[in-house]
Coordinates of all heavy atoms in Angstrom, one line a residue:
P210 N -38.9 -24.1 99.8 CA -40.1 -24.6 99.3 C -40.3 -24.2 97.7 O -39.9 -23.0 97.4 CB -41.3 -24.2 100.1 CG -40.8 -23.1 100.9 CD -39.3 -23.1 100.9
A211 N -40.9 -25.1 96.9 CA -41.1 -24.7 95.5 C -41.9 -23.4 95.4 O -41.7 -22.6 94.5 CB -41.9 -25.8 94.9
A212 N -42.8 -23.2 96.4 CA -43.6 -21.9 96.3 C -42.8 -20.7 96.5 O -43.3 -19.6 96.1 CB -44.7 -22.0 97.4
D213 N -41.6 -20.7 97.0 CA -40.7 -19.6 97.1 C -39.8 -19.4 96.0 O -38.9 -18.5 96.0 CB -40.0 -19.7 98.5 CG -40.9 -19.5 99.6 OD1 -42.1 -19.2 99.5 OD2 -40.4 -19.8 100.8
I214 N -39.8 -20.3 95.0 CA -38.9 -20.1 93.8 C -39.6 -19.1 92.9 O -40.7 -19.1 92.5 CB -38.8 -21.4 93.1 CG1 -38.0 -22.5 93.9 CG2 -38.1 -21.2 91.7 CD1 -36.6 -22.1 94.2
E215 N -38.8 -18.0 92.6 CA -39.3 -17.0 91.7 C -38.9 -17.0 90.2 O -39.4 -16.3 89.4 CB -38.9 -15.6 92.3 CG -39.4 -15.4 93.7 CD -38.9 -14.2 94.4 OE1 -38.0 -13.4 93.8 OE2 -39.3 -13.8 95.5
L216 N -37.9 -17.8 90.0 CA -37.3 -17.9 88.6 C -36.9 -19.3 88.3 O -36.2 -20.0 89.1 CB -36.1 -17.0 88.5 CG -35.3 -17.0 87.3 CD1 -36.1 -16.4 86.1 CD2 -34.0 -16.3 87.5
I217 N -37.3 -19.8 87.1 CA -36.9 -21.2 86.7 C -36.3 -21.0 85.3 O -37.0 -20.5 84.3 CB -38.1 -22.2 86.6 CG1 -38.8 -22.3 88.0 CG2 -37.6 -23.5 86.1 CD1 -40.0 -23.2 87.9
I218 N -35.1 -21.4 85.1 CA -34.5 -21.4 83.8 C -34.1 -22.8 83.5 O -33.3 -23.5 84.2 CB -33.2 -20.5 83.7 CG1 -33.5 -19.1 84.3 CG2 -32.7 -20.5 82.3 CD1 -32.3 -18.2 84.2
V219 N -34.6 -23.4 82.4 CA -34.2 -24.7 81.9 C -33.3 -24.5 80.7 O -33.7 -23.9 79.7 CB -35.5 -25.6 81.6 CG1 -34.9 -26.9 80.9 CG2 -36.3 -25.9 82.7
A220 N -32.1 -25.1 80.8 CA -31.2 -25.1 79.7 C -31.4 -26.5 79.0 O -31.2 -27.5 79.6 CB -29.7 -25.0 80.1
T221 N -31.7 -26.4 77.8 CA -32.0 -27.7 77.0 C -31.9 -27.5 75.5 O -32.3 -26.3 75.1 CB -33.4 -28.4 77.4 OG1 -33.4 -29.6 76.8 CG2 -34.5 -27.5 77.0
I222 N -31.5 -28.5 74.8 CA -31.6 -28.4 73.3 C -32.6 -29.5 72.9 O -32.8 -29.7 71.7 CB -30.3 -28.6 72.6 CG1 -29.5 -29.9 73.1 CG2 -29.4 -27.4 72.7 CD1 -28.4 -30.3 72.2
T223 N -33.2 -30.2 73.9 CA -34.2 -31.2 73.6 C -35.5 -30.9 74.4 O -35.8 -31.7 75.2 CB -33.6 -32.6 73.9 OG1 -33.2 -32.6 75.3 CG2 -32.5 -33.0 73.0
P224 N -36.1 -29.8 74.1 CA -37.4 -29.5 74.9 C -38.5 -30.4 74.6 O -38.5 -31.1 73.5 CB -37.7 -28.0 74.3 CG -37.0 -28.0 73.0 CD -35.9 -28.8 73.0
D225 N -39.4 -30.5 75.5 CA -40.6 -31.4 75.4 C -41.3 -31.0 74.1 O -41.7 -31.8 73.3 CB -41.6 -31.2 76.5 CG -41.1 -31.8 77.8 OD1 -39.9 -32.0 78.0 OD2 -42.0 -32.1 78.6
T226 N -41.4 -29.7 73.9 CA -42.1 -29.0 72.7 C -41.4 -27.8 72.4 O -40.7 -27.2 73.3 CB -43.6 -28.7 73.0 OG1 -43.6 -28.0 74.3 CG2 -44.4 -29.9 73.2
F227 N -41.4 -27.3 71.1 CA -40.8 -26.0 70.8 C -41.4 -24.9 71.6 O -40.8 -24.0 72.1 CB -41.0 -25.7 69.3 CG -40.0 -26.3 68.5 CD1 -40.1 -26.4 67.1 CD2 -38.8 -26.8 69.0 CE1 -39.2 -27.0 66.3 CE2 -37.8 -27.4 68.2 CZ -38.0 -27.5 66.9
T228 N -42.8 -25.0 71.8 CA -43.4 -24.1 72.7 C -44.7 -24.9 73.2 O -45.3 -25.7 72.5 CB -43.9 -22.7 71.9 OG1 -44.2 -21.8 72.9 CG2 -45.0 -23.0 71.0
P229 N -45.0 -24.7 74.5 CA -44.4 -23.9 75.5 C -42.9 -24.4 75.9 O -42.6 -25.5 75.6 CB -45.3 -24.0 76.6 CG -46.6 -24.7 76.2 CD -46.2 -25.4 75.0
A230 N -42.3 -23.4 76.6 CA -40.9 -23.9 77.1 C -41.0 -25.0 78.0 O -42.0 -25.2 78.8 CB -40.3 -22.6 77.7
T231 N -39.9 -25.8 78.1 CA -39.9 -26.9 79.0 C -40.0 -26.4 80.5 O -40.6 -27.1 81.3 CB -38.7 -27.7 78.8 OG1 -38.6 -28.2 77.4 CG2 -38.5 -28.9 79.8
A232 N -39.5 -25.2 80.7 CA -39.6 -24.7 82.0 C -41.0 -24.4 82.5 O -41.3 -24.5 83.8 CB -38.8 -23.3 82.1
C233 N -42.0 -24.2 81.6 CA -43.3 -24.1 82.0 C -43.9 -25.5 82.5 O -44.6 -25.5 83.5 CB -44.2 -23.6 80.8 SG -43.6 -22.1 80.1
Y234 N -43.6 -26.5 81.9 CA -44.0 -27.8 82.3 C -43.4 -28.1 83.7 O -44.0 -28.6 84.6 CB -43.6 -28.9 81.3 CG -44.1 -28.8 79.9 CD1 -43.3 -28.5 78.9 CD2 -45.5 -29.0 79.7 CE1 -43.8 -28.3 77.6 CE2 -46.0 -28.9 78.4 CZ -45.1 -28.6 77.3 OH -45.7 -28.5 76.1
V235 N -42.1 -27.8 83.8 CA -41.4 -28.1 85.1 C -42.1 -27.2 86.2 O -42.4 -27.8 87.3 CB -39.9 -27.6 85.0 CG1 -39.2 -27.8 86.4 CG2 -39.2 -28.5 84.0
Q236 N -42.4 -26.0 85.9 CA -43.1 -25.1 87.0 C -44.3 -25.8 87.5 O -44.6 -25.8 88.7 CB -43.4 -23.7 86.3 CG -43.9 -22.7 87.3 CD -45.3 -22.0 86.9 OE1 -46.1 -22.7 86.4 NE2 -45.2 -20.7 87.0
E237 N -45.1 -26.3 86.6 CA -46.4 -27.0 86.9 C -46.1 -28.3 87.7 O -46.7 -28.5 88.8 CB -47.2 -27.3 85.7 CG -48.7 -27.5 85.9 CD -49.0 -28.9 86.2 OE1 -48.3 -29.8 85.7 OE2 -49.9 -29.2 87.0
Q238 N -45.1 -29.1 87.2 CA -44.8 -30.4 87.9 C -44.3 -30.3 89.3 O -44.6 -31.1 90.1 CB -43.9 -31.2 87.0 CG -44.5 -31.7 85.7 CD -43.4 -32.3 84.8 OE1 -42.4 -32.9 85.2 NE2 -43.6 -32.1 83.5
I239 N -43.5 -29.2 89.6 CA -43.0 -29.1 91.0 C -43.8 -28.1 91.8 O -43.5 -28.0 93.0 CB -41.5 -28.6 90.9 CG1 -41.3 -27.2 90.4 CG2 -40.6 -29.6 90.0 CD1 -39.9 -26.6 90.5
G240 N -44.8 -27.6 91.2 CA -45.6 -26.6 92.1 C -45.0 -25.3 92.4 O -45.3 -24.7 93.4
A241 N -44.2 -24.7 91.5 CA -43.5 -23.5 91.8 C -44.4 -22.4 91.0 O -43.9 -21.7 90.2 CB -42.1 -23.5 91.2
S242 N -45.6 -22.3 91.5 CA -46.6 -21.5 90.7 C -46.3 -20.0 90.7 O -46.8 -19.2 89.8 CB -48.0 -21.7 91.2 OG -47.9 -21.6 92.6
R243 N -45.4 -19.4 91.5 CA -45.0 -18.0 91.5 C -43.9 -17.7 90.5 O -43.6 -16.6 90.3 CB -44.6 -17.6 92.9 CG -45.7 -17.3 93.8 CD -45.1 -17.0 95.2 NE -44.2 -15.8 95.2 CZ -43.2 -15.6 96.0 NH1 -42.9 -16.5 96.9 NH2 -42.5 -14.5 95.9
A244 N -43.2 -18.8 90.0 CA -42.0 -18.6 89.2 C -42.2 -18.2 87.8 O -43.1 -18.6 87.1 CB -41.1 -19.8 89.3
V245 N -41.4 -17.1 87.4 CA -41.2 -16.9 86.0 C -40.4 -18.0 85.4 O -39.4 -18.4 85.9 CB -40.5 -15.6 85.8 CG1 -40.2 -15.3 84.3 CG2 -41.3 -14.4 86.3
A246 N -40.8 -18.6 84.3 CA -40.2 -19.8 83.8 C -39.9 -19.7 82.3 O -40.8 -19.4 81.5 CB -41.0 -21.1 84.1
F247 N -38.6 -19.9 81.9 CA -38.3 -19.8 80.5 C -37.1 -20.8 80.2 O -36.4 -21.2 81.2 CB -38.0 -18.4 79.9 CG -36.9 -17.7 80.7 CD1 -35.6 -17.9 80.2 CD2 -37.1 -17.0 81.8 CE1 -34.5 -17.2 80.9 CE2 -36.1 -16.3 82.4 CZ -34.8 -16.4 81.9
D248 N -36.9 -21.1 78.9 CA -35.8 -22.0 78.4 C -34.7 -21.1 77.9 O -35.0 -20.1 77.3 CB -36.2 -23.0 77.4 CG -37.2 -24.1 77.9 OD1 -37.5 -24.1 79.2 OD2 -37.6 -24.9 77.1
I249 N -33.5 -21.8 77.9 CA -32.4 -21.2 77.1 C -31.8 -22.3 76.2 O -31.8 -23.4 76.7 CB -31.3 -20.4 77.9 CG1 -30.6 -21.3 78.9 CG2 -31.9 -19.2 78.5 CD1 -29.4 -20.8 79.3
S250 N -31.2 -22.0 75.1 CA -30.6 -23.0 74.2 C -29.1 -22.6 74.0 O -28.9 -21.7 73.3 CB -31.4 -22.9 72.9 OG -30.8 -23.8 72.0
A251 N -28.3 -23.3 74.7 CA -26.8 -23.1 74.6 C -26.1 -24.3 74.5 O -24.9 -24.4 74.9 CB -26.3 -22.0 75.6
A252 N -26.7 -25.4 74.2 CA -26.2 -26.8 74.1 C -25.5 -27.1 75.4 O -26.1 -26.9 76.5 CB -25.4 -26.9 72.8
C253 N -24.3 -27.7 75.3 CA -23.6 -28.2 76.5 C -23.2 -27.1 77.5 O -22.9 -27.4 78.7 CB -22.4 -29.0 76.1 SG -22.8 -30.2 74.9
S254 N -23.1 -25.9 77.0 CA -22.8 -24.8 77.9 C -24.0 -24.1 78.7 O -23.9 -23.3 79.5 CB -22.2 -23.6 77.1 OG -21.2 -24.1 76.3

Side-chain angles (χ1 to χ4, degrees):
D213 290 350
I214 294 293
E215 296 175 356
L216 172 68
I217 299 173
I218 307 177
V219 174
T221 187
I222 52 168
T223 53
D225 287 23
T226 50
F227 276 164
T228 195
T231 301
C233 303
Y234 299 109
V235 174
Q236 189 229 40
E237 199 272 329
Q238 287 170 37
I239 65 172
S242 48
R243 282 176 57 209
V245 171
F247 60 89
D248 290 359
I249 59 159
S250 172
C253 309
S254 310

